Amino acid sequence: MTQILILVLVIALFYWLSRSFSKNQHTYTKNQFAGFKLTKDALAHSELGLFVALAAKVAKADGRVDELEAELVSNMFADISALFPNPEATKKMLKEIFDEEKNAPHNLDLVAQALYKALEKDIHKRQKMVEFLVNLTYIDGTLSQSEEEMLHRIAYHLGFSEQELKTMMERFGSYHRNSVKESSIDQAYTLLGITAEATNDEVKKAYRALVREYHPDIIKSQGASDEYLKEATEKVQNINAAYEMIKKSRGI
């Protein structure tokens, strides 16, 4: 009887360890980058640097990076750089990489191929990255032809079929169609946590703070459920809708 109990405990322990490993092997931690020798070139060729490069191209695919996209990208820099030993230096380099890559659509295929090579054995990370990029294209409420074409090229190089991408796009498209709620101007001010007496600078400060608090986090999304991006998207979309309503009412 004792031997059976010991065997059961050993099996349970191995099951718990395997589940724990499976859950965490696809997520990013500070320990992974503790010994990273930070240079702009090394960062640009890392999997997260390559992802930032793709995000830059997607954000600029329709010709401009709008205000909400800029806020989300800025927060993305903070999320990623927090993993590295020198976050401020990392953030500065990520911004430089983004600014360079957003104006270089010609190397999209090479960057996507390099990212696939870096993550060839980790389909989970690749899927979360494609989902994040799909979300980014929908964040302003519209999907341009150039954005869609770019997503198809990226998904292809990262090992996803047309049907798999279509499923992602339909899911995120529905998130965005259903997320923005009609509200009054009073409700808009309440959502941003300010009053109608707030200055324009105070309105923008409140907006940026809320986007920073609720934005989709590429690092968190790696270990989160499928609902994570939906919830973050809905919150940011409603914050953005309230902000746009206030700007319109003020003629900003």
Side-chain angles (χ1 to χ4, degrees):
M1 185 68 179
T2 303
Q3 289 178 325
I4 293 175
L5 284 174
I6 292 173
L7 180 60
V8 169
L9 287 172
V10 169
I11 292 172
L13 177 62
F14 272 103
Y15 175 77
W16 179 81
L17 288 172
S18 65
R19 286 293 301 273
S20 178
F21 175 74
S22 176
K23 182 179 179 182
N24 295 313
Q25 67 175 323
H26 303 299
T27 60
Y28 290 105
T29 66
K30 288 186 177 181
N31 290 338
Q32 290 176 255
F33 301 93
F36 190 85
K37 294 182 179 179
L38 185 63
T39 66
K40 183 178 172 182
D41 186 64
L43 186 61
H45 287 86
S46 70
E47 59 196 68
L48 287 171
L50 291 166
F51 171 75
V52 166
L54 289 181
K57 298 176 193 305
V58 168
K60 188 70 181 294
D62 57 0
R64 62 185 291 271
V65 180
D66 69 22
E67 187 172 5
L68 179 55
E69 287 174 330
E71 289 297 328
L72 294 177
V73 166
S74 177
N75 291 323
M76 180 178 69
F77 295 156
D79 298 332
I80 293 175
S81 61
L83 294 170
F84 291 82
N86 190 335
E88 285 305 312
T90 305
K91 189 174 181 179
K92 182 175 181 294
M93 291 178 190
L94 287 174
K95 187 177 186 309
E96 291 173 359
I97 292 168
F98 183 92
D99 288 342
E100 291 170 5
E101 294 293 339
K102 72 180 182 182
N103 295 315
H106 60 277
N107 67 348
L108 173 72
D109 301 303
L110 291 176
V111 174
Q113 288 165 7
L115 182 57
Y116 177 81
K117 187 175 181 180
L119 295 175
E120 186 172 0
K121 297 181 179 180
D122 199 331
I123 190 172
H124 175 85
K125 282 183 180 176
R126 285 186 277 120
Q127 179 178 333
K128 290 297 182 181
M129 287 180 174
V130 173
E131 288 177 347
F132 201 90
L133 294 175
V134 171
N135 195 44
L136 185 61
T137 63
Y138 277 104
I139 205 69
D140 60 358
T142 60
L143 176 69
S144 69
Q145 183 179 347
S146 56
E147 287 173 326
E148 186 172 357
E149 289 174 353
M150 194 169 284
L151 285 176
H152 280 276
R153 288 167 63 188
I154 291 171
Y156 170 77
H157 289 301
L158 292 185
F160 296 98
S161 68
E162 289 286 318
Q163 184 56 50
E164 287 170 324
L165 177 62
K166 181 181 178 182
T167 299
M168 292 183 206
M169 292 175 71
E170 287 177 348
R171 185 166 79 250
F172 284 99
S174 68
Y175 291 172
H176 288 274
R177 283 192 296 272
N178 298 329
S179 63
V180 179
K181 299 177 177 63
E182 291 295 329
S183 60
S184 68
I185 189 66
D186 289 337
Q187 290 172 320
Y189 280 112
T190 299
L191 183 58
L192 294 192
I194 54 178
T195 67
E197 285 69 45
T199 65
N200 289 347
D201 285 343
E202 288 170 337
V203 170
K204 184 165 187 175
K205 183 177 180 181
Y207 165 73
R208 295 182 69 179
L210 286 171
V211 172
R212 184 164 57 248
E213 181 177 356
Y214 294 113
H215 73 281
D217 182 339
I218 181 60
I219 304 304
K220 285 184 181 178
S221 74
Q222 295 294 332
S225 69
D226 290 340
E227 289 297 302
Y228 168 75
L229 274 181
K230 178 183 178 181
E231 292 173 1
T233 294
E234 288 177 344
K235 288 177 180 177
V236 168
Q237 280 283 38
N238 288 325
I239 291 164
N240 194 59
Y243 178 58
E244 292 297 328
M245 181 180 291
I246 293 170
K247 285 202 300 181
K248 185 176 180 180
S249 72
R250 294 180 173 217
I252 301 175

